[in-house]
Amino acid sequence: MPNKDNNILGTGRSGKGRVGRRKFLGAAGAGALTTTVAGCLGGGGSDGLTIGHLAPMGNVLGVGSKRTAEMAVEELNEDGGFNGEEAELITKDTRTDPSEAQSVTEELIQQENVDLLVGTFNSETTQSILDLTSEFDVPFMITGSAAPSLITDSVGSDYEQYKNVFRIGPINSDFQAESIADYCAYLNERHDWSRVAFLRDQAEWTTPFGDQIPDLLSERGLELVYEDALSIEGTDFGPVMSDINDSDADFVLRFFAHIDGGDMLTRWQEGQYEFGIEGVHVPGMHPSYNQLYSGAATYETTSQSGAAGVTPITERTQPFVESYAERYQDAEDAPIQAPMYMGFNTYDGISVFKEVVDAMGTTSTRDNLDDFVGEMLDVDFTGVAGQVSFYGEGSEYPHDVQEERGGDDTITNYPVTQWVSETELECVYPEQHRTADHQMPTWMQ
Amino acid sequence: MLGDIGTLVLQGTMISAVYALIAIGFTMIFGVGGTLNLAHGALIMGGAYVFALLSRSVHAAVAFPVTIAVIALLSWGLYQVLVRWVEENVVITFLATVVVAIASTEFVLYQFGGSPIGMTLISGAVNLEPYGINARTRYVQFVGFVVSWLAIGLLWYYITHTDDGRSVLAASMSERGAQLTGVDLHAVRSKTWLIAGALAGTAGVILGSTGGATPLMWLNPLALAFIIVVIGGIGSIKGSVIAAYVIGFLEQFTVTFVGHGFRGILSLVVLVVFLLYMPQGLYGREFAHD
């Protein structure tokens, strides 16, 4: 018989539901208050030019983005300012929590009166603040989320309402899917790898890949031999590896942002499985990732905007990374050598913003949103992650960053890097940015 | 087909052993003190981080037992400093241990950042394909299996064959009865936390060495411990071991025959069925006394 009276088992005392509940509510309330207040500390009202930066600060990717935002604001302030004005930067921690993102965004808009919002990482968080930014006409530059729906469901469906929204990078997942499929064709050409096992996070951001990758691969003469979406709540990679092995795949094409592939990589190295591990692995973009896993990531690849700064994507890329490393080499927290992809995009976003307000002749972007949008659409800017220009109103992805295409019409601004040792990365794709050819794991050679 | 079954049995056995390690400490503390220790997952996480730190400077064979000792002491300390003063009130204990768990996440974030940290207990793997089993099992998984059963065996011997252990068993059966036969309840509870801590530390090392350590790695083990303990019967060690294997194998069945994305679903369905129709679990006792 269960403990129906809510007695405290084994203590000989009777249930005390009422008192317990009241105390519980009190304690829960105090906890909620503490966490809310913690997000509100710092910052004060401001009348000058203010840039609000949003990122998950518990994540190295967010730390890198914050640092590049600081770099950009400091450099541009020194370099004549934004239309002559000095900007102030305020960073708020969104965590990866949509409701937290909403509350800090509201604070930035209402109390700090920001003239630009830049950042946001996971697509769910970005989605949650789109309405807020458009309601207050605050220019919003997305620098960390790739879901096409962020553009197509907002500015793509109601242009007037959401015209404040732009994406600086990365290119959206539809273009990413195409670019990755071309990369797979390159692998087939180089190693004769034609059998693909396709794995992804069971999350919103991978849906476009799930929809498109099978067709894109078959168009390129590649065979999909295994496909599954993995729970982001915890996966035992033992059976996953057995299934892939069973499918006789030449390589795994995986899209992991929520799942840390460390377990998979360790099993791969130790078990010497005869397939490559390719695709997108957000945790693996951490500059010290391979050291943290004692070399288990060697030979894995991931696509990432900016290619971690290992190759001169534009003439600005490497000076930017060098200056970042110089600035943060003694910092306590990672990333110290280079920011992760979001940092590249955030830096470009703030730089583009300067170009635009200079051209507008005012920094009051919220009162002159149409001018701002007009100038943004004229932008053709050489950034650190590539050339930045945006799709216009009538296109499929209005205000989304345009993909760059090479001579053979393949996308070039979604480069792929490969770990070649515990500390070294090479850019293996596309040809234009390649620093080394893709290597097979030693045990397969 | 036979090979598939072999693979399933092997992988189910390996993961279930770790699940058992995760759940036993949790169930012991509940059985003896009536305390839901929500910091159990945090202790597991502590095991992973302590081992990661130690194994950088000393050999893994030394770091492993030291980690177990450190986490056992931490768990004991948690009882002495915090829980024993509030354990009379279930809700306050519940909240206090939640706060410890969340604070430990913040501490780890502050100290190590959010990035995963890998560690090596033992490296290498054995390819079982020549034997018809489609798996390349890592040595660390074998170690996890052996250590899990070693711990279960030692615990069983302690509880059934030593006076000290029998007092733990007595306290979990009936506190009043135990007290009447001269058992010092406070000492028994302290010992229980020490043992549960040692088991959590062991689980942490195994989990950390298979998947890496992250600041939120305690969440899944804690949820698992809950499910296992409810199915096995709250407070029953035997029930927890059996339930760990039930869950482990259910998960393997699901990923083999349905898909990896549905891994945890069937376990949750079973949990609901148990809660509705068999709330005392497989080996739970009826609380007739008190």
Side-chain angles (χ1 to χ4, degrees):
Chain A
M1 181 128 167
N3 180 23
K4 272 187 180 163
D5 302 329
N6 199 24
N7 289 344
I8 298 169
L9 303 174
T11 61
R13 286 173 309 108
S14 59
K16 39 170 82 175
R18 282 174 63 93
V19 177
R21 191 186 60 195
R22 208 174 294 148
K23 282 189 180 164
F24 174 85
L25 290 177
L33 187 69
T34 319
T35 46
T36 316
V37 170
C40 301
L41 298 173
S46 162
D47 299 326
L49 173 62
T50 313
I51 297 174
H53 171 244
L54 297 162
M57 298 308 297
N59 187 319
V60 269
L61 194 123
V63 176
S65 180
K66 175 177 184 254
R67 289 177 179 168
T68 59
E70 283 166 359
M71 265 174 77
V73 168
E74 203 172 293
E75 287 171 10
L76 297 172
N77 277 345
E78 277 171 23
D79 189 27
F82 296 73
N83 191 41
E85 238 181 274
E86 284 215 347
E88 184 199 353
L89 178 76
I90 301 174
T91 293
K92 291 282 176 193
D93 186 0
T94 57
R95 306 187 198 162
T96 45
D97 172 7
S99 64
E100 179 68 14
Q102 281 180 346
S103 105
V104 295
T105 305
E106 201 161 346
E107 193 191 330
L108 282 174
I109 295 175
Q110 306 261 36
Q111 290 169 31
E112 309 290 354
N113 250 327
V114 291
D115 303 281
L116 169 72
L117 281 169
V118 61
T120 63
F121 167 51
N122 59 328
S123 299
E124 289 82 354
T125 306
T126 313
Q127 180 72 46
S128 75
I129 64 165
L130 284 177
D131 282 338
L132 256 175
T133 63
S134 67
E135 198 179 316
F136 291 97
D137 287 341
V138 185
F140 176 31
M141 295 178 172
I142 301 167
T143 60
S145 319
S149 60
L150 294 172
I151 291 293
T152 52
D153 292 353
S154 65
V155 63
S157 67
D158 186 345
Y159 189 82
E160 259 320 294
Q161 192 190 339
Y162 293 103
K163 64 190 173 193
N164 64 311
V165 179
F166 285 83
R167 173 159 36 211
I168 304 291
I171 55 170
N172 74 42
S173 314
D174 290 344
F175 293 126
Q176 289 183 0
E178 181 190 331
S179 183
I180 295 266
D182 286 332
Y183 171 64
C184 294
Y186 157 73
L187 290 175
N188 189 18
E189 203 176 287
R190 176 158 170 77
H191 302 305
D192 211 13
W193 283 357
S194 61
R195 295 167 63 82
V196 187
F198 172 39
L199 291 179
R200 58 190 178 93
D201 278 358
Q202 203 174 47
E204 171 69 21
W205 79 280
T206 67
T207 314
F209 298 111
D211 294 343
Q212 297 171 39
I213 287 285
D215 290 341
L216 288 168
L217 290 182
S218 85
E219 282 166 20
R220 286 160 180 77
L222 294 149
E223 193 187 345
L224 196 65
V225 293
Y226 181 76
E227 186 181 355
D228 211 337
L230 306 181
S231 164
I232 58 175
E233 301 298 335
T235 285
D236 172 20
F237 274 97
V240 177
M241 295 303 265
S242 297
D243 285 352
I244 300 166
N245 197 31
D246 217 20
S247 73
D248 207 16
D250 292 318
F251 67 96
V252 178
L253 181 64
R254 52 89 179 87
F255 295 84
F256 292 166
H258 298 274
I259 296 176
D260 170 29
D263 184 14
M264 180 184 200
L265 293 167
T266 317
R267 287 171 193 273
W268 180 53
Q269 292 272 350
E270 292 191 345
Q272 308 217 321
Y273 283 95
E274 273 113 34
F275 48 76
I277 296 188
E278 314 288 329
V280 179
H281 183 207
V282 176
M285 296 175 194
H286 186 311
S288 312
Y289 188 79
N290 205 15
Q291 271 178 304
L292 293 170
Y293 273 108
S294 321
T298 307
Y299 302 115
E300 81 147 348
T301 64
T302 182
S303 287
Q304 52 179 328
S305 311
V310 295
T311 180
I313 292 183
T314 71
E315 74 270 10
R316 300 188 55 203
T317 311
Q318 289 189 313
F320 161 72
V321 173
E322 280 158 22
S323 130
Y324 180 96
E326 197 179 314
R327 221 180 134 113
Y328 296 108
Q329 59 188 346
D330 298 325
E332 232 174 70
D333 304 325
I336 52 175
Q337 301 100 322
M340 291 160 79
Y341 78 86
M342 186 173 165
F344 285 82
N345 296 327
T346 300
Y347 187 86
D348 281 347
I350 295 177
S351 310
V352 164
F353 183 68
K354 175 194 157 62
E355 298 284 309
V356 169
V357 291
D358 283 356
M360 283 168 70
T362 171
T363 54
S364 305
T365 50
R366 286 165 71 168
D367 299 328
N368 301 286
L369 190 60
D370 284 321
D371 286 355
F372 177 82
V373 171
E375 292 297 341
M376 280 293 279
L377 292 176
D378 287 342
V379 160
D380 188 7
F381 180 79
T382 306
V384 294
Q387 198 68 19
V388 183
S389 59
F390 304 97
Y391 279 106
E393 183 177 353
S395 70
E396 194 182 347
Y397 308 105
H399 295 193
D400 209 343
V401 64
Q402 293 198 26
E403 78 283 16
E404 288 176 65
R405 289 184 186 271
D408 54 355
D409 206 35
T410 55
I411 293 172
T412 60
N413 56 343
Y414 197 47
V416 179
T417 58
Q418 179 175 38
W419 285 108
V420 293
S421 73
E422 260 192 40
T423 52
E424 277 172 291
L425 278 168
E426 297 283 359
C427 179
V428 295
Y429 184 86
E431 200 183 343
Q432 290 85 340
H433 304 313
R434 185 171 296 148
T435 56
D437 280 319
H438 180 276
Q439 294 180 45
M440 262 192 212
T442 40
W443 61 88
M444 289 176 72
Q445 284 165 14
Chain B
M1 186 60 201
L2 214 58
D4 282 352
I5 294 172
T7 310
L8 192 150
V9 169
L10 175 85
Q11 278 165 340
T13 311
M14 292 295 156
I15 198 81
S16 306
V18 180
Y19 288 0
L21 264 184
I22 290 172
I24 297 172
F26 186 72
T27 202
M28 275 182 76
I29 288 180
F30 192 88
V32 171
T35 304
L36 272 177
N37 176 22
L38 296 188
H40 187 69
L43 290 168
I44 292 175
M45 173 170 77
Y49 276 94
V50 169
F51 180 74
L53 278 185
L54 285 175
S55 61
R56 282 179 199 168
S57 43
V58 296
H59 192 271
V62 180
F64 193 13
V66 174
T67 304
I68 296 174
V70 168
I71 301 303
L73 283 176
L74 265 179
S75 173
W76 180 82
L78 176 64
Y79 178 70
Q80 299 298 350
V81 174
L82 180 68
V83 177
R84 65 176 285 202
W85 309 106
V86 296
E87 65 184 339
E88 303 291 303
N89 187 322
V90 175
V91 176
I92 297 293
T93 315
F94 189 88
L95 284 174
T97 51
V98 170
V99 167
V100 169
I102 292 171
S104 67
T105 297
E106 294 298 326
F107 176 77
V108 166
L109 263 177
Y110 175 74
Q111 204 61 35
F112 304 95
S115 313
I117 295 178
M119 62 201 81
T120 315
L121 178 60
I122 178 171
S123 60
V126 55
N127 188 348
L128 297 170
E129 280 160 53
Y131 309 100
I133 293 175
N134 174 26
R136 301 185 183 183
T137 309
R138 295 178 61 196
Y139 292 146
V140 64
Q141 292 177 276
F142 288 117
V143 171
F145 177 77
V146 172
V147 167
S148 168
W149 277 103
L150 211 60
I152 293 168
L154 282 174
L155 191 62
W156 173 81
Y157 180 83
Y158 173 72
I159 295 240
T160 52
H161 284 75
T162 66
D163 283 347
D164 233 22
R166 277 193 285 253
S167 65
V168 173
L169 190 61
S172 82
M173 284 175 168
S174 161
E175 291 197 347
R176 194 184 299 160
Q179 274 173 319
L180 287 173
T181 52
V183 171
D184 176 356
L185 267 188
H186 176 66
V188 164
R189 286 181 186 158
S190 304
K191 263 180 261 167
T192 312
W193 280 76
L194 196 72
I195 295 169
L199 291 167
T202 313
V205 174
I206 304 292
L207 281 181
S209 312
T210 45
T214 61
L216 284 175
M217 66 176 287
W218 57 275
L219 272 174
N220 277 326
L222 186 65
L224 256 173
F226 254 113
I227 298 176
I228 289 170
V229 165
V230 169
I231 293 177
I234 287 173
S236 163
I237 293 171
K238 181 169 64 173
S240 290
V241 174
I242 290 172
Y245 277 77
V246 168
I247 294 296
F249 274 88
L250 266 180
E251 288 190 355
Q252 291 306 314
F253 270 108
T254 319
V255 298
T256 309
F257 298 111
V258 187
H260 293 282
F262 300 91
R263 187 183 165 78
I265 305 266
L266 204 55
S267 320
L268 290 175
V269 172
V270 173
L271 175 69
V272 171
V273 171
F274 265 86
L275 282 174
L276 287 177
Y277 298 104
M278 209 176 163
Q280 75 277 22
L282 291 173
Y283 290 92
R285 288 182 312 278
E286 294 187 4
F287 294 102
H289 36 72
D290 281 335

